[in-house]
Structures are given as structure tokens and as C-alpha cells.
Amino acid sequence: MNPVKLSLSVMTAAAALLAGSATGGRAAEAIKPAIVYDLGGKFDKSFNEGVFHGAEAFKARTGIVFGEFAPTNDAQIEQGLRNFARKGFSPILGVGFDQAEPIKKVAAEFPKIKFAIIDGDVNAPNVQAISFKEYEGSFLAGALAALTTKTDKIGFVGGMDIPLIRKFSCGYAQGAAAINPKIGVTINMTGTTGAAWNDPVKGGELAKSQIESGVDIIYQAAGATGIGVLQTVADAGKLGIGVDSNQNGLHPGHMLTSVMKGVGVATDKTFTEALNGTWQPGNTVLGLKEQAVSLAFDDENAPLISADIKARIDALQADIIAGKVAVHNYAEDNHCPL
Amino acid sequence: MSAHAPAARLPRWMEYGLLPVLNLVLALLVSGLVVVVIGQDPFEALGVLLKGAFGSIENIGYTLYYATDIIFTGLAVAVAFQAGLFNIGGEGQAYIAGLGVGLVCLYLDFLPMPVIIALAVIASMVFGAAWAAIPAWLQAHRGSHIVITTIMFNFIAYSVMVYLLVHPLIEPGQMAPQSRAFAANAIMPSIKGVAAVVGLDLGAAPLNLSFVWALIAAAGTWLFIGHTSPGYAIRVVGANPEAAVCAGIRPERAIMLAMLLSGALAGGLALNEVMGVQQRIMVGFTAGYGFTGIAAALMGRNHPVGIILAALLFGALYQGGAELSFDIPDISAEMVVVIQGFVIIFTGALENMLRPTLARLAARLEGGRAQTA
């Protein structure tokens, strides 16, 4: 292929890209949103996929297409952000705390481009940082588990042992202790590498050993590893608690609830704000109050939860929202009071 | 490897020139077929890939940055190969070396920059070598297989580093398991300034002085293995440990030396990633380069020049591949891994596939030449 032809084909590709993004209709004020996923990849059945579905919802409503990039190493995160910024995409959404540093850097280089980050903490005039109070949802899950358990032993299986997951486990343990200070909470982490997010067999083994020690309810925050946890729990006739999205339907009758994290809603929100011109930089922390973190109550788990228990959970939720019950955030001091 | 499997001897121009190129072409052909299957134009994809890797000074800078990592790990694998050892612990050795580099940059940053750089280079070598030392000793004195022990040590390194980064080293109040950023005088200087002097704009490319150190390490490896008596001892042990004993060489010492050197070379990866690019210690900064180094060593025939060329190829695939999945969204990041996998299979694992054919061809050429002479 000669150089002229080569550059021509690249140009046509670029033209096609531009044409694609212009099909949004509102040519003048249309935005060009983009997503840089985290290293877990786009289709992880939870976190990244939630962002993708949020962006798809935005696309379905507005007809505006979005750019996306799935980096495979840390250097590519920054590269991807910068590539989108150079091509004039805005807002650019980075998924996951890994992107805090790269976004800080690239946002400083492109002050006119809007950036957003999920789960990260970036203070810059053109960055919207969205994080979630996972510990609040986990607290309620712990309380619900403590109210439901027959053995007074509940369990937690996390993915990779990082502060984010300890936020979940610490909230869960606090919620359980709020109901019953003597309850036994077994906490296991699957591993210390990224593979810990994608090891359902090991997740199942951890769940099995917890069940053997008397645990009858297990909460998983372990990505695809959690699929194995929930499967094992269901096979053993015990109860599981899902995470991030509503997983109640996975094993009806064996899923106590799911702690939902509204990453898709947050994605849709930041894109929509940018479109409407109401986009604001700054930190947004979404929790129970904003309904961005919640327990899933639906037909699937209704038979498992009595009206009494539901009322106590609702009361706890109201107390947390009103500030009467304080849930400690592990990430604040890397310490869990329990 | 090639030392153990001299399937068929080839003339040098075939061994080091034609064979790798043919293997590469085959890999690209098969990758092209895959691109066709998912409904994209393979020539356009190749164009984007090449342009992504070499299309601008900045892109070349990125390619060289990736190549830097792979030169270090490729050399590490090659040195161990010379002693007949398959060191697949480059990941772990580089990871622990990152700890050494990081500790220097975090806690000795009151020193002037040149001193810090020198100390960091030493720390990368010492920590990398130390992590290789235990498997090496077990192999030399107890016969524990180095493949098993080094891969186990990778996992120990992962766990140790995650523990350190989640507990003592983490920057308080933030989510990612990583240390605080290094001070400005404790980072590996970028090559950007030097390039700007000669009118080249490296843009955002993270190329830094580690690249120079990689080239020095390659030259040093070439000198040491090929032209010194300890290097010779390593090669003899690799070729035939019993003959080495008869020649008065102690295999244990050669094994220890080769593995320590291998670990020290793998440590260079940490200089590039920790001190040069991320400028903080991060979880998982080795990102699999230790394993890519195995492919680079195979492809480069364990020769430093070959490894540099192979590292350039892999660097180009990393960088061009990222641009490819960026520009043609249908070619996902996973597809790029598939393409890289084909290159590794054809240039590494299947390197002997074409060899007999080429050997026959070479023999016929020789024969023809003999007749005309």
C-alpha cells in the first residue's frame, strides 16, 4: 500500500468517524461524549458494563453516539484520554479510580474539555468527580443479613484486596453489628491481582468454606468472581447478596438482595447535563439519599423478607439519610472500626 | 532455547533475517484473515497500526517507551537462557525492583537528582537480583526447577506488593493502591528536552532516560556474555553442564550469576515504569511485560541486537494496537491481543515450522553455488 493511498484510507476512516458523530442531529449544540473504560474491560457484567448501558440509554434517548476505548495497560489510559481530548470529544468519562492521576494530568492540558471520573477524586475546574457511598448500601445489606441469618454467622467475599472493596466489607460488618454486636462476620478476599475479579471457581471455594464454618448468608463484591460465590451459595441452599447491579434474578429464592450502584445513571446524568448546558465540575458523592446506592427489593426476593424486617431496614435507611446513623467510610482513614 | 534445539543449521542471513521476517509475514497474514472475518479492511487496519506506531515523532516516542520495557525483560530472559535456565519470573523481579526504586525515590528525595538516579538504578538491580536469588540458589544447590520457583515467586511478589501498597505505602485518603507521587527531583528525566534540541517534538510520549539505560544494558549484556570468561562459563553450563564441570567450571556459580544478572536486568522495567512514567509505585505496573520479554528473547534469538529489534516490533504492536482499537472501534482491545498473540505464536513458538524448508532451500542454494564454482 503506497503512502498516498494509506493516508487516504486513514482520512476516509476519520471522515467516517466524524460523520458518525454528526448523525446526532442537533449539529450546532450536539456534544461528543466519550468513555475510557478501566482495565477490567467493557463487558464485565457489572461496573464497566453498567457505564456502557448508561451511555447506551443516553444514545437511545438523544441519538448522540459516544466514543469508547478499553485500555489494556496504565499508560494507555492517559493515551486514550488525550486522544479523545485532541479529537474534541467532551465530556470524556473515565471509569474507575485508576484514572484519577491520568485525568488530573490530561484535564490540565485541555482546560476547555469537560472530564468526568467515576470512583475517583479529582479536583480541577473542568472535572466532575462522581463517587458512591457503597458503604451505606453495604451497611443496609449487613443489617438485613443480620436480621435474616439463623446461625448468627454471615460472610463476605471480596475481589482484589484494595481499599475500595474494604469500603464494602467494612460497611457490611458495621451494619451487621448495628443489629447484633455479637454476630460473626467472615471476610475473605479472593486475591491480590487483577485476576481476583475474574475467578468464579475460587470464589465458589471461598463461599464453600464459609458455609462449612456455619455462614448462611454471603455478600459478594468480587466482579465476575462473585458469579461463582452466588452459584455455590444457591447450590448449598443458603442466601447470597449481589452487588453493583440487581442480581436478584440470578438465583431466585437464594438471593436475599443486591446492593445496587448507579454507575449507569451517573453516566447518563453527566452526558445529559453536558448536553443541556447544566454540567458542573466538582465532587459529587452519591449515596442512599440520592438513590444512587440502594438495596434491590423486587418480586424475586419478596418471599425472603418479612414486612417487619423490611420496616426495620427502611427505618435504618431513613436514619442514615437523616444523619442519625453514621456509617464509617473505610477509605477516609484506611481503617475499619470493627 | 535454540542452543538446545539446533534442528537445522541455517546461514546467518536466513537465521537472523529471512526466517523472522517470514514468520512475521505469516503472523500478519493470519491476523489479516481475522480482521476480514470481523468485517474490517485488513489493509486499512495495517495502515492504522503502522501509522499509530510510527506516524509521528510522538507515536515513535510511545513505541520506544514500550520497547524499553521489553528490551529489559527480553535481555533478562536471554541471559538466563544462556545458562540453560528459563526465567519466567521477570514480572516478579521487576515488581520487587519497583519497590526498591520507589523506596529510593520516596525516602531519599532530599538528595540531588543525579545521586537519586544512580541510587535508583542500583536499587532496581539489587532488588531485582535479590528476588531472583532464592529461585537461583534453589536451582543451583537443590535442583528445584527454575520454571516452577520463578513463577511461584511472581505470585509472592504480587501479594507482597499489594500488601505494601494497601497498607504502609498507600497515599492516605485515596482509593487506588499506590504510593504518593515522587518529588520533582526524584523522577527519571524525560528525553523530551533532548529531542526538542534537535527539533523533534515528543509530545506526551513518556519516553525517558531509561531507554538509554536499556541500550547500555543491551551492549553490556552482549559484552559480558560473549566476551568475558564468566559469560563464557554461563554459556558452557547452558550448553552442557557436565562438560562444564570437566572444564573446571562450577555450574552452581554460573547459574547463580546468570540468574542474578537476569533479575537485575528485569529490574530496569521498574526504572522505566515507576521512576519514568508513573512517578509513583502502583499496583500491577509490570502489566505483563515480563512475559512479553520471553517472546522477545525467543524472537531475538537471545542476541541483544535481536532483542532490541524484537522489542521494537512488540513496542510497535502495543502502541499501534492501542491506536487501532481507538480508530476502528470494531477492532476491540481483545482483538489487538489476538493479533499480538499471532505474532508471538509464529515468531516464537512456531519458529521451527519453516526451518526445515529453509534449510533445504539453503542446501540447494549452496549446492547450486558449488556447481557453478
Side-chain angles (χ1 to χ4, degrees), chain A residues 49 59 178 281:
Chain A
E49 207 168 323
K59 185 169 119 186

Side-chain angles (χ1 to χ4, degrees), chain A residues 79 82-83 86-87 101 192, chain B residues 58 162 204 280 319 327:
Chain A
Q79 236 178 317
R82 189 174 285 113
N83 264 344
R86 278 189 188 151
K87 291 182 181 159
E101 288 304 319
T192 52
Chain B
E58 181 179 358
V162 166
R280 56 176 71 226
Q319 164 58 15
D327 280 355

Side-chain angles (χ1 to χ4, degrees), chain B residues 23-373:
Chain B
N23 284 330
L24 184 60
V25 169
L26 271 179
L28 287 179
L29 275 178
V30 178
S31 307
L33 286 179
V34 177
V35 173
V36 171
V37 167
I38 62 164
Q40 293 291 330
D41 177 0
F43 293 102
E44 187 195 333
L46 184 64
V48 172
L49 193 125
L50 286 176
K51 190 163 176 287
F54 303 109
S56 72
I57 299 295
E58 181 179 358
N59 293 10
I60 293 173
Y62 266 107
T63 298
L64 293 179
Y65 144 68
Y66 286 118
T68 307
D69 284 341
I70 301 164
I71 292 173
F72 281 122
T73 53
L75 289 172
V77 173
V79 167
F81 264 149
Q82 297 290 356
L85 302 170
F86 193 10
N87 174 18
I88 47 179
E91 284 279 303
Q93 289 144 20
Y95 211 173
I96 295 295
L99 176 64
V101 172
L103 290 178
V104 167
C105 296
L106 285 173
Y107 298 110
L108 298 177
D109 57 4
F110 52 86
L111 296 167
M113 187 189 253
V115 180
I116 296 180
I117 293 176
L119 287 175
V121 169
I122 294 168
S124 76
M125 298 178 77
V126 169
F127 276 68
W131 203 248
I134 304 168
W137 189 88
L138 288 170
Q139 170 76 57
H141 296 278
R142 294 288 180 270
S144 312
H145 204 289
I146 201 92
V147 169
I148 309 293
T149 48
T150 49
I151 203 161
M152 284 174 157
F153 264 67
N154 283 345
F155 285 99
I156 302 175
Y158 295 149
S159 301
V160 167
M161 290 300 282
V162 166
Y163 172 78
L164 290 175
L165 286 169
V166 170
H167 295 282
L169 288 176
I170 195 169
E171 181 179 16
Q174 64 130 30
M175 198 46 71
Q178 54 191 29
S179 75
R180 72 170 167 85
F182 301 152
N185 63 328
I187 60 173
M188 189 62 87
S190 164
I191 289 186
K192 198 174 168 159
V194 185
V197 171
V198 289
L200 300 173
D201 181 14
L202 273 175
L207 189 64
N208 58 73
L209 277 185
S210 313
F211 177 64
V212 177
W213 175 237
L215 297 182
I216 295 172
T221 306
W222 174 78
L223 259 178
F224 178 80
I225 293 294
H227 300 88
T228 66
S229 75
Y232 179 71
I234 287 176
R235 281 186 293 145
V236 173
V237 170
N240 188 336
E242 276 130 48
V245 174
C246 293
I249 296 169
R250 288 166 59 188
E252 303 86 30
R253 293 185 68 168
I255 287 172
M256 285 301 290
L257 185 61
M259 279 303 290
L260 291 179
L261 205 59
S262 179
L265 285 165
L269 164 62
L271 284 178
N272 189 31
E273 287 292 329
V274 172
M275 198 177 175
V277 184
Q278 309 296 348
Q279 297 165 10
R280 56 176 71 226
I281 318 176
M282 298 180 68
V283 158
F285 70 83
T286 50
Y289 296 116
F291 298 120
T292 312
I294 298 170
L298 274 172
M299 198 182 168
R301 300 289 180 275
N302 295 324
H303 191 287
V305 176
I307 288 168
I308 291 176
L309 292 175
L312 278 177
L313 172 70
F314 284 108
L317 283 173
Y318 270 86
Q319 164 58 15
E323 298 283 329
L324 185 59
S325 68
F326 195 93
D327 280 355
I328 308 180
D330 277 350
I331 301 182
S332 63
E334 288 79 11
M335 271 296 307
V336 174
V337 176
V338 169
I339 294 173
Q340 288 166 349
F342 277 128
V343 172
I344 293 176
I345 286 178
F346 278 99
T347 56
L350 295 182
E351 64 143 354
N352 285 334
M353 189 176 67
L354 293 178
R355 188 179 287 271
T357 317
L358 279 186
R360 271 198 298 278
L361 189 71
R364 199 171 299 161
L365 283 177
E366 290 277 310
R369 209 173 294 159
Q371 273 176 9
T372 49

